Amino acid sequence: MSAPGRTNLRGSVGYSQNSTPNGGAAPPCQNGPLQTYPPMYPPTGYYGAPPHHQGYPGVSAPGKAPVTNSANYYQSNQQHHVAPSSYSAGPPPQPYATVPSSAPPPPPPHAQYSQQPFQQPPYAPPGSYYAQQPYQVSPAQLHQQPGLVAAPASGPGAPIYPSAPGSGHYGTTRTTTAPEATQMGAPLHHYSAAPPPPTAALHPGYEAAAQMTVNGKGCAAGVQNSSHQHYDQSHPAPRSYNSYSGGGADRPASGTLSASAHSSPGRHQGTPFGFAADSGASSASAAASGPAGALTSSSSDDDDEDEDEEAGGDSSSSSTGSASPVPNNYDSLEGGSYPDSMPPSNDMTNQAQPYSNYGYQGMPPAYQQGPAQPTDAPPSQNLYGPSGYQPYSQPFPSLSQLSAALGGLSGVPELEVEALRPVNLLQERNLLPPRPLEAPEPDISSDLKKVNCSPQTFRCTLTSMPQTQALLNKARLPLGLLLHPFRDLQLPVITSNTIVRCRSCRTYINPFVTFLDQRRWKCNLCYRVNDVPDEFMYNPVTRSYGEPHKRPEVQNSTVEFIASSDYMLRPPQPAVYLFVLDVSHNAVEAGYLKRFCDSLLENLDKIPGDTRTRVGFLTFDSTVHFYNLTEGLSQPQMLVVSDIDDVFIPSHDSLMVNLKESRELVKELLTSLPAMFSQSRETHSALGPALQAAFKLMSPTGGRVSVFQTQLPTLGAGKLQSREDPNQRSSAKGVQHLGPATDFYKKLALDCSGQQIGVDLFLLSSQYADLASLACIAKYSAGSVFYYPSFHHVHNPAQMEKFRRDLERYLTRKIGFEAVMRIRCTKGLSIHTFHGNFFVRSTDLLSLANVNPDSAFAVQMSIDDSLADSSLACFQAALLYTSSKGKRRIRVHTLCLPVVSQLSDVFAGADVQAITCLLANMAIDRSISCSLSDARDAVVNAAVDFASAYRSSVSNLQQSGLVVPAVMRLFPLYVLALLKQKALRTGTSTRLDERVFAMCEFKTQPLPQLMRMLHPDLYRLDNMSDQGALHLNDAVVPQPRLLHLSAETLSRDGAFLMDCGSVFYLWIGKGCGETFIRDVLGCPSYASVPSNMSHIPELQTPLSERVRAFLDWLQDNRAFSSTFHVVKDDSSAKAAFLQHLVEDRTESASSYHDFLQHVHQQMSK
Amino acid sequence: MAFTFAAFCYMLALLLTAALIFFAIWHIIAFDELKTDYKNPIDQCNTLNPLVLPEYLIHFFFCVMFLCAAEWLTLFLNLPLLAYHVWRYTSRPVMSCPGLYDPTTIMNADILAYCQKEGWCKLAFYLLSFFYYLYGMIYVLVSS
């Protein structure tokens, strides 16, 4: 927790407001008299908001692409496949070629392509070539990256690449175009290796679809080209339409292969422009012409689908793909990315209006008429108001106005100014952006920005890398990376005999290397000059020779290589799954077994694997039971080993069986298993011996062990005692037993890790089960932990439902076996500490027995040597794994950040969400290694230190009070939210297991999910307007405003949705309108709403449809589906909802305002 | 000049400190190997952990000898290290076998740096005390 950048231990300054004596006095979660903001924060609430506050009438509702599942994707593709004919009628192939606006494509690549024998007359002319264009066009979407010979290569015409001159087999392919494939690897087989005739029929569809995507994106570039406008909905539609139509000609510019890396117009790496343009295009054209409108909007569909596929990966799970891509995309529609959250960006600099270009430039009157009117509210309300900037800057004339003036006059990026605008937190209350924050973008050249790694995969806490450790120390911010490397995404897959790597540091070649000439390249991490191998001179995408810089590896910062045998220590293992099931009396009581067996039966065909896939089952109570499932047996044979002190494997080859061969037996076992133990009276649990048996069973192959445990292990090795004292649950003194009680599980996990066995733990316990000890088995073997407190199949249907959904995702999600991940960074930087589930094998190498798409990692970095001699710092994460199809693959992500020497630049590039998440990880480490109070102090000090550092860095700051730069304005709020999390809170009764589980979650959840857990999104649902809404397929998805997490924002006559990541709460006020209750919940009145309602009925009312559309939309971009609870204002479940209102004072924790006061006091000490 | 118990203690301490110096050097090398990725942390911890207690016991042993020989100054000089050893061993991570080093945390840069620094400090201390014991032995031999 002692990052080099922070000195977080400030003695025991503590956070003394916690336990203020009037804890019991004021009702919890109510901002009583303590909250004295009336003048600046009218009690009606900024958000109490009449329906208008979200009006953006400018463009009513741009056709926005759906975040749908692959089924839709497929369909929309099919539509497109019809569409292009009419569409491309306008600009036939030539225009595509003609205007390489800023692109100097040496040999127009399409020419080369068109020479290829593609027999797809109906769609071919542009299709065959442009089909791959989306990937070139949109370096923005990093993973749908350019350069790959996707469908065309494998299309009917050209099944496989001819061998490159002097080289072996170059097959590059990408998976994007194969939504029907269940695995990343699948398309490879489909297209590249053996293009089967049947798929040929599909290709036109895909390609046509892809072409449409090109159009969408081409126009994105066009928009940007022509206007450099930060598009938001309030922009006059015609403009974007013009640029769209003009963009038709521009398409090839960014579309050409050659253009992809360095030449296309500066386009944000993020999605805003692309999607903004799409939406602009579609809405505009929708307005203009019926069919064409439909067409274009579906093209933007496609665009989204790309994005979504990227998130979704497998077709089976694309709807539940990884968490965040979509909100970001939609944000752009919603009014842009929030200026303050964005780092300086050149794209903004061309804007004429320095202030108003942010967010709500052309803000329609409706918005301004909201209760948050700048005129009747103090400046603090103006954050997003059009005229808000001036009033703000007045208190700080020295810095902000000056620099703003500079920005306006001399081209200093306004965003930087905006990012650094001092915000006095004690005065400004309205800090939340209207839509969830986006990741800031590094301030690098637009060429690099386009190819840079997606922030969802790779994110740095400081998007501007400080030059020296001294500078970092001055900034008092933690430096680290947040990685989500195995995220479900679409990425180019490259097959090549030689994988080009730096000879000294072994870095994979990436877009940020420099080519000194045709034959030599310079590593961007260690600066060594390397030779370009002959094979690399051939570019399989353009089929041209002598253009190494156009290879897909150099065009994409996220790529996947098919590794050769050099990357194998042994032949790739098959997918092997072992299920270890608790069948003691307690487990039977809880009733999970039936659910598990049913789920597995349902998903048996969807489990990732190939013909070699093997499964096994092992159950245990006080003895360990094995199941012989060898093919040919008439029914499964149970073998009982009762010698738990020295477990042995009764039969070596018949326990782990080939799923394909023994499918019937497996099914039979799963059908009979629940009944088999229903009479069990055995209360003991021999988990340790069962795990040892599992280890022995799996060690020859490696694979995944899924352990289902329902109680404290009481027998044999690894038995545990109850360590929790229920009376101490709410003690403020310090929480004991956060660490493991025994190292048995850790040692076993390390053994497992050594044999490439990953262990996932499902704990379904109603009692204390010492998760702190048990979780070690998953933690060090790179598994995951799932915890279902008070699970019961009858009494707790919500948990049961959650278990079912989680299982479905768990069983069908992608998996990588025998994986290692190495993180390399530019010389001068070094990795300090890792956070997540893995075993650290050396200073930069993580050993991951299994890798799953839902776990993320965090890394703390330090700066050893000055980075002064380079202007860019790069990070590369390379994940080597065996896919479930038995292919060895390497997934490489490269992130590039600018190096800065000014403290203000460091501040301007701070990513508040990433910082908060890294801080959370550090705090959890600290609370386990030292104590909880220590960790809490350190977290508070992080906020205090940062504010002090900022204040001292801005010498001419006149303002007293708690002043932070605008990019970090949410930092204290997040810190407070962090302190109120289950993992770190004190004073509130928290079960030890739940606390430990929350800690595990913090260590492994990807950032968007973590942020939602930390600071849930609150929306008001009963007065959603269609303004600003997204139009997906045929549904309208309203976009309500984000509300502050305070009881003030709740009103009795409203219905509020809180999105906590893994759970949704719908809070219904007592006076909630009858219409809402009737139309959405299907109940006649408030009183008749059942207290345990956990789903929204599918009513055919418009309001219900919109609410469900919104919920589905929120749900669509996360891996595990969330549960839903309706919370009535007077129900007992209210507490669960209210505990998330982090800005309010509770019995044991202070309110946001008190917290700010506390931080302020600490600063002045 | 007589061969007293104190002189014997010093001679013994001299020999044992020489051994401890080797322990310290071994630690330093081991952690350096970890840092430069030559060794797997599990193996390295398995080789290091069995050495921890012997080192502490040797040090404890001659501290007791000095106590018996009433060499107060020497004992006093060694007490801080003794206390440190006790603290270090009581605050070790949960583990079933003797030793200090946990392969799952050892690669943490903080811990690695701490262990290395600890190794260097101990080496310095043992070297100084080696010469001190040499001096003490001669002094005792000469003065008695």
Side-chain angles (χ1 to χ4, degrees):
Chain A
M1 180 86 205
S2 55
R6 302 172 39 236
T7 56
N8 29 28
L9 259 191
R10 278 251 199 130
S12 60
V13 280
Y15 173 27
S16 52
Q17 293 175 343
N18 284 359
S19 44
T20 38
N22 52 0
C29 300
Q30 283 248 323
N31 292 344
L34 278 179
Q35 294 259 334
T36 52
Y37 287 105
M40 33 184 63
Y41 200 77
T44 54
Y46 185 41
Y47 303 115
H52 284 317
H53 69 274
Q54 227 200 341
Y56 308 101
V59 169
S60 63
K64 191 39 192 165
V67 184
T68 36
N69 7 26
S70 51
N72 283 329
Y73 181 25
Y74 190 77
Q75 284 192 341
S76 56
N77 285 340
Q78 294 296 354
Q79 292 163 9
H80 292 314
H81 140 9
V82 180
S85 54
S86 67
Y87 187 78
S88 56
Q94 285 82 3
Y96 284 86
T98 44
V99 190
S101 67
S102 57
H110 71 276
Q112 291 163 6
Y113 253 100
S114 52
Q115 287 156 10
Q116 292 176 18
F118 279 125
Q119 317 97 322
Q120 303 163 319
Y123 318 102
S128 56
Y129 167 57
Y130 284 103
Q132 13 168 2
Q133 287 312 309
Y135 317 119
Q136 271 93 33
V137 172
S138 68
Q141 278 97 21
L142 281 178
H143 341 282
Q144 342 174 333
Q145 293 271 353
L148 291 187
V149 177
S154 52
I160 304 181
Y161 274 114
S163 294
S167 73
H169 170 124
Y170 265 90
T172 60
T173 183
R174 59 172 293 110
T175 54
T176 325
T177 45
E180 83 274 25
T182 45
Q183 272 293 316
M184 295 297 298
L188 185 77
H189 309 304
H190 280 225
Y191 296 137
S192 186
T199 55
L202 299 178
H203 282 307
Y206 289 131
E207 287 163 18
Q211 178 192 1
M212 295 312 293
T213 317
V214 172
N215 297 342
K217 296 192 177 170
C219 87
V223 166
Q224 206 206 342
N225 240 345
S226 56
S227 66
H228 270 262
Q229 281 290 350
H230 185 181
Y231 179 86
D232 62 40
Q233 294 178 355
S234 52
H235 277 302
R239 181 191 300 165
S240 52
Y241 185 45
N242 288 343
S243 51
Y244 169 69
S245 49
D250 284 347
R251 273 170 227 155
S254 52
T256 46
L257 277 171
S258 51
S260 54
H262 304 292
S263 55
S264 60
R267 183 178 159 181
H268 259 282
Q269 179 259 309
T271 49
F273 291 108
F275 287 98
D278 285 342
S279 58
S282 49
S283 59
S285 52
S289 63
L295 196 90
T296 31
S297 68
S298 49
S299 88
S300 64
D301 273 12
D302 225 17
D303 208 354
D304 259 43
E305 283 311 332
D306 281 352
E307 187 79 339
D308 201 40
E309 274 303 300
E310 167 187 312
D314 332 339
S315 66
S316 57
S317 63
S318 63
S319 62
T320 56
S322 79
S324 67
V326 182
N328 292 346
N329 304 340
Y330 289 111
D331 282 349
S332 58
L333 282 181
E334 234 316 285
S337 36
Y338 310 107
D340 339 51
S341 69
M342 297 185 62
S345 143
N346 296 333
D347 290 291
M348 297 299 169
T349 56
N350 297 347
Q351 296 249 349
Q353 312 96 322
Y355 306 125
S356 53
N357 79 28
Y358 304 125
Y360 301 105
Q361 177 182 14
M363 190 61 59
Y367 182 74
Q368 294 165 22
Q369 283 159 5
Q373 249 309 326
T375 47
D376 58 41
S380 57
Q381 302 251 342
N382 291 339
L383 197 49
Y384 297 99
S387 60
Y389 199 91
Q390 283 304 347
Y392 278 155
S393 48
Q394 272 158 6
F396 326 107
S398 48
L399 181 78
S400 60
Q401 272 193 345
L402 189 68
S403 50
L406 278 176
L409 295 173
S410 63
V412 172
E414 289 93 41
L415 270 186
E416 182 164 337
V417 177
E418 172 57 24
L420 287 174
R421 179 172 60 81
V423 174
N424 189 342
L425 294 176
L426 293 176
Q427 284 174 16
E428 291 190 24
R429 279 300 313 276
N430 179 27
L431 298 168
L432 280 187
R435 301 287 313 138
L437 275 181
E438 276 188 55
E441 284 199 332
D443 180 23
I444 47 179
S445 76
S446 53
D447 295 345
L448 294 180
K449 217 179 263 178
K450 277 182 308 182
V451 290
N452 214 350
C453 197
S454 154
Q456 289 156 37
T457 305
F458 218 142
R459 206 157 157 176
C460 185
T461 55
L462 303 177
T463 53
S464 302
M465 187 62 49
Q467 213 170 51
T468 57
Q469 181 72 36
L471 186 62
L472 176 61
N473 291 344
K474 249 192 247 168
R476 298 282 182 158
L477 289 171
L479 175 61
L481 302 171
L482 291 137
L483 288 121
H484 192 181
F486 202 56
R487 198 165 73 90
D488 287 327
L489 50 73
Q490 301 293 314
L491 75 183
V493 179
I494 295 167
T495 312
S496 162
N497 279 351
T498 46
I499 295 173
V500 182
R501 303 173 67 178
C502 172
R503 288 184 58 157
S504 77
C505 66
R506 308 299 292 148
T507 299
Y508 295 83
I509 196 164
N510 60 68
F512 310 106
V513 301
T514 38
F515 282 93
L516 301 177
D517 54 40
Q518 285 277 331
R519 310 292 311 180
R520 290 181 305 153
W521 61 279
K522 189 174 169 192
C523 175
N524 55 334
L525 267 63
C526 67
Y527 308 119
R528 183 196 153 102
V529 176
N530 295 275
D531 291 337
V532 177
D534 277 341
E535 199 180 343
F536 201 73
M537 298 297 289
Y538 175 74
N539 184 354
V541 181
T542 59
R543 302 184 147 203
S544 57
Y545 192 78
E547 290 173 347
H549 56 284
K550 287 180 195 149
R551 291 267 308 193
E553 296 94 315
V554 189
Q555 298 285 347
N556 299 280
S557 60
T558 295
V559 288
E560 193 154 285
F561 295 97
I562 308 285
S564 62
S565 53
D566 302 346
Y567 293 85
M568 299 171 196
L569 293 172
R570 56 175 186 179
Q573 67 164 85
V576 182
Y577 306 105
L578 175 65
F579 298 95
V580 178
L581 307 165
D582 183 359
V583 292
S584 61
H585 178 67
N586 200 34
V588 172
E589 272 295 288
Y592 83 93
L593 201 57
K594 176 99 176 69
R595 184 64 263 167
F596 165 77
C597 291
D598 291 350
S599 271
L600 189 55
L601 272 176
E602 283 165 27
N603 294 302
L604 207 54
D605 300 321
K606 296 188 212 151
I607 292 181
D610 54 9
T611 51
R612 301 186 299 159
T613 306
R614 293 161 73 184
V615 294
F617 295 88
L618 197 158
T619 55
F620 65 95
D621 40 30
S622 59
T623 54
V624 181
H625 324 129
F626 298 84
Y627 295 87
N628 182 349
L629 299 167
T630 324
E631 194 189 8
L633 286 179
S634 58
Q635 59 174 21
Q637 248 178 21
M638 181 162 119
L639 309 165
V640 179
V641 173
S642 50
D643 181 10
I644 54 169
D645 293 326
D646 181 20
V647 192
F648 61 94
I649 306 296
S651 148
H652 268 279
D653 42 3
S654 56
L655 300 176
M656 300 301 300
V657 293
N658 188 304
L659 180 58
K660 208 174 154 213
E661 290 163 6
S662 304
R663 175 175 303 261
E664 289 314 311
L665 280 174
V666 169
K667 280 187 174 165
E668 197 178 326
L669 175 67
L670 287 175
T671 325
S672 57
L673 205 54
M676 238 194 286
F677 295 97
S678 57
Q679 301 307 315
S680 169
R681 288 276 162 268
E682 187 54 73
T683 53
H684 285 293
S685 163
L687 176 66
L691 286 173
Q692 286 172 329
F695 170 67
K696 286 183 186 166
L697 209 51
M698 297 284 278
S699 21
T701 50
R704 181 178 79 187
V705 177
S706 315
V707 180
F708 294 78
Q709 169 73 5
T710 61
Q711 57 172 318
L712 204 63
T714 49
L715 275 185
K719 72 175 174 194
L720 299 167
Q721 263 93 41
S722 178
R723 296 189 290 167
E724 186 186 33
D725 177 0
N727 300 325
Q728 296 292 311
R729 274 180 194 160
S730 62
S731 126
K733 268 183 278 171
V735 179
Q736 305 289 309
H737 310 306
L738 289 173
T742 159
D743 68 340
F744 170 81
Y745 296 97
K746 180 163 72 187
K747 282 165 87 176
L748 191 60
L750 291 182
D751 291 342
C752 286
S753 179
Q755 299 298 325
Q756 309 295 352
I757 304 166
V759 185
D760 294 330
L761 176 68
F762 287 78
L763 187 60
L764 307 120
S765 157
S766 46
Q767 301 285 316
Y768 174 74
D770 203 349
L771 187 60
S773 304
L774 294 182
C776 288
I777 189 79
K779 208 183 252 175
Y780 301 111
S781 66
S784 12
V785 180
F786 299 84
Y787 178 48
Y788 304 89
S790 41
F791 180 89
H792 194 279
H793 65 125
V794 178
H795 303 322
N796 200 339
Q799 287 287 13
M800 186 71 168
E801 178 63 14
K802 185 167 166 18
F803 178 60
R804 186 186 68 78
R805 295 186 192 184
D806 287 1
L807 256 188
E808 189 179 341
R809 162 76 182 163
Y810 173 78
L811 291 172
T812 55
R813 71 184 178 186
K814 232 159 82 85
I815 183 168
F817 297 99
E818 40 185 9
V820 288
M821 182 166 75
R822 195 181 286 276
I823 302 171
R824 299 183 173 87
C825 33
T826 296
K827 206 160 68 178
L829 292 167
S830 66
I831 295 172
H832 191 269
T833 309
F834 293 94
H835 302 278
N837 285 358
F838 46 69
F839 172 59
V840 189
R841 212 153 64 190
S842 80
T843 44
D844 57 353
L845 185 72
L846 301 181
S847 158
L848 304 160
N850 284 354
V851 56
N852 68 68
D854 299 320
S855 56
F857 307 92
V859 177
Q860 274 171 259
M861 319 271 312
S862 57
I863 304 173
D864 296 344
D865 302 321
S866 167
L867 302 170
D869 51 349
S870 63
S871 61
L872 296 174
C874 293
F875 306 90
Q876 186 170 73
L879 177 73
L880 171 65
Y881 68 98
T882 303
S883 76
S884 50
K885 307 267 188 242
K887 276 266 186 309
R888 201 79 171 131
R889 288 170 165 239
I890 311 165
R891 186 175 286 199
V892 180
H893 303 284
T894 316
L895 177 75
C896 174
L897 298 174
V899 175
V900 297
S901 55
Q902 293 299 316
L903 191 55
S904 60
D905 293 336
V906 177
F907 285 139
D911 178 346
V912 63
Q913 294 190 320
I915 288 173
T916 311
C917 289
L918 186 64
L919 200 63
N921 275 312
M922 291 157 72
I924 299 234
D925 267 7
R926 172 68 74 92
S927 58
I928 293 172
S929 65
C930 297
S931 72
L932 198 63
S933 55
D934 228 27
R936 289 172 57 91
D937 289 349
V939 170
V940 176
N941 285 332
V944 174
D945 286 348
F946 169 71
S948 322
Y950 179 68
R951 170 186 275 190
S952 56
S953 77
V954 185
S955 53
N956 53 358
L957 190 64
Q958 308 294 316
Q959 182 72 15
S960 67
L962 184 56
V963 182
V964 295
V967 267
M968 292 291 286
R969 68 189 191 282
L970 292 175
F971 187 49
L973 178 59
Y974 286 159
V975 164
L976 177 67
L978 186 55
L979 293 174
K980 293 187 177 183
Q981 291 305 300
K982 263 187 191 155
L984 291 177
R985 71 187 181 190
T986 54
T988 313
S989 179
T990 312
R991 289 172 169 211
L992 192 51
D993 275 351
E994 289 185 29
R995 189 188 291 276
V996 171
F997 178 64
M999 292 183 168
C1000 295
E1001 293 264 277
F1002 268 105
K1003 291 285 230 171
T1004 55
Q1005 290 293 328
L1007 184 137
Q1009 184 73 3
L1010 207 54
M1011 285 315 298
R1012 277 192 291 257
M1013 281 166 55
L1014 196 71
H1015 188 268
D1017 298 336
L1018 183 68
Y1019 308 94
R1020 181 164 181 164
L1021 288 192
D1022 61 326
N1023 58 1
M1024 286 189 296
S1025 70
D1026 267 355
Q1027 277 163 340
L1030 309 170
H1031 288 238
L1032 311 177
N1033 281 347
D1034 48 349
V1036 178
V1037 179
Q1039 296 290 293
R1041 233 194 113 87
L1042 215 54
L1043 303 180
H1044 274 274
L1045 290 172
S1046 157
E1048 274 175 80
T1049 53
L1050 303 178
S1051 67
R1052 274 167 179 273
D1053 57 347
F1056 294 84
L1057 179 76
M1058 184 186 275
D1059 174 7
C1060 305
S1062 59
V1063 54
F1064 290 113
Y1065 293 105
L1066 178 62
W1067 183 87
I1068 310 281
K1070 274 197 182 108
C1072 182
E1074 296 275 306
T1075 35
F1076 183 85
I1077 291 176
R1078 195 181 54 238
D1079 288 357
V1080 177
L1081 301 177
C1083 298
S1085 67
Y1086 175 79
S1088 61
V1089 176
S1091 59
N1092 58 352
M1093 202 168 171
S1094 58
H1095 71 284
I1096 286 198
E1098 299 209 357
L1099 303 177
Q1100 296 308 313
T1101 60
L1103 191 55
S1104 169
E1105 274 166 12
R1106 257 187 292 152
V1107 167
R1108 280 183 289 120
F1110 182 58
L1111 276 172
D1112 291 344
W1113 176 75
L1114 289 175
Q1115 185 86 74
D1116 263 351
N1117 43 41
R1118 55 195 73 181
F1120 290 97
S1121 59
S1122 314
T1123 50
F1124 184 85
H1125 297 286
V1126 175
V1127 179
K1128 287 168 75 177
D1129 191 23
D1130 50 1
S1131 73
S1132 54
K1134 198 172 133 187
F1137 172 77
L1138 291 180
Q1139 69 175 357
H1140 292 290
L1141 297 176
V1142 292
E1143 290 186 33
D1144 288 343
R1145 203 164 66 81
T1146 63
E1147 289 165 34
S1148 53
S1150 60
S1151 72
Y1152 181 51
H1153 181 252
D1154 294 344
F1155 178 71
L1156 290 180
Q1157 295 289 359
H1158 172 75
V1159 170
H1160 191 208
Q1161 279 170 14
Q1162 292 294 318
M1163 275 171 69
S1164 47
K1165 267 183 195 167
Chain B
M1 185 159 169
F3 192 75
T4 59
F5 181 62
F8 171 73
C9 283
Y10 276 117
M11 285 175 73
L12 198 66
L14 205 57
L15 292 175
L16 292 177
T17 306
L20 288 182
I21 288 173
F22 282 110
F23 273 96
I25 292 174
W26 177 252
H27 271 89
I28 292 169
I29 293 174
F31 285 112
D32 197 62
E33 277 175 342
L34 270 185
K35 214 170 186 173
T36 48
D37 294 358
Y38 281 122
K39 286 267 175 76
N40 181 326
I42 300 182
D43 300 342
Q44 202 65 302
C45 287
N46 286 344
T47 55
L48 285 179
N49 275 332
L51 297 181
V52 174
L53 266 192
E55 181 195 332
Y56 289 6
L57 288 178
I58 288 172
H59 185 253
F60 177 71
F61 171 68
F62 64 71
C63 283
V64 172
M65 296 286 277
F66 285 127
L67 180 70
C68 300
E71 289 291 327
W72 304 117
L73 178 65
T74 316
L75 182 66
F76 178 74
L77 289 177
N78 272 301
L79 275 184
L81 185 63
L82 193 64
Y84 173 76
H85 281 164
V86 171
W87 170 80
R88 184 93 163 93
Y89 207 76
T90 48
S91 62
R92 69 180 193 142
V94 177
M95 48 203 298
S96 47
C97 51
L100 281 179
Y101 307 109
D102 176 356
T104 58
T105 55
I106 194 76
M107 292 310 292
N108 184 318
D110 281 335
I111 295 181
L112 204 56
Y114 178 85
C115 290
Q116 265 194 316
K117 209 173 6 166
E118 185 192 32
W120 284 110
C121 291
K122 275 192 179 172
L123 180 64
F125 181 84
Y126 290 143
L127 270 178
L128 287 177
S129 44
F130 180 83
F131 291 109
Y132 172 76
Y133 298 148
L134 194 64
Y135 163 81
M137 180 184 75
I138 294 169
Y139 181 80
V140 171
L141 284 177
V142 169
S143 64
S144 55

